[in-house]
Amino acid sequence: MEGDCLSCIKYLMFVFNFLIFLGGSFLLGVGVWVLVDPTGFREIVAANPLLFTGVYIILGMGGMLFLLGFLGCCGAIRENKCLLLFFFMLILLIFLAELAAAILAFIFREHLTREYFTKELKRHYQGYNNTDVFTSTWNAIMTTFDCCGVNSPEDFKDSLFRLINQNHMVPEACCQRASQTGEVAYISQEQCLSGNMMFRNNKGCYSAVVDYFELYIYVAGALAIVLFAMVFAMCLFRGIQ
């Protein structure tokens, strides 16, 4: 009976890690394709700091999942204690990193509120000074997520941006864009900057970013998967004679 249970754990672990291996291979393939793609997609990504950083995040995640899946598959099917121990240690590191991220998010939760971001935007955002890290980061966020301000374009009232640019109601990064022949152009930049709601993005960036990352909140479920993987690895490790 014990042997049957061990055999079941072995093959379940193999299938589980094979899926992880395939997922890692796919992410690696996508990341490498974006970096070496000769059709011009690389230039589009390189022009946007967030997208460019995202490519390397995808490569890093792909590489980690690839290694994790490989170790798990080989360790399970070959019943190799060394590979299983290495797999367990890697899974443990991932679990601790996720736990640390959750703790930090809880500790600094007061700095992740709409009010905090709105106050900082009003005080520090300059609009067109791309040498300023705060300004260039906000420009990248608004351009990437097609949003404006923290809550809405109204956030720029009584702000440093309006003091510096008195003729503009919103910054250029808030203007709606249309792709034409592979190039990005503003639909009507003049109307947008003058405050016309028809030609600017009216959704706040806080909601836009939360909606985007809501897809990844399910990653929290990965904690349970990681724990199961750790238990399976240790059961198989202890069961190997």
Side-chain angles (χ1 to χ4, degrees), residues 201-236:
N201 297 311
N202 293 297
K203 186 173 185 178
C205 290
Y206 193 94
S207 297
V209 173
V210 167
D211 289 347
Y212 179 80
F213 283 105
E214 195 171 22
L215 297 171
Y216 301 97
I217 290 176
Y218 296 107
V219 172
L223 283 170
I225 296 174
V226 165
L227 284 172
F228 275 116
M230 289 169 64
V231 171
F232 276 15
M234 286 312 296
C235 287
L236 191 57

Side-chain angles (χ1 to χ4, degrees), residues 126-137:
Q126 300 176 34
Y128 305 103
N129 182 7
N130 284 322
T131 59
D132 177 63
V133 175
F134 185 89
T135 299
S136 59
T137 300

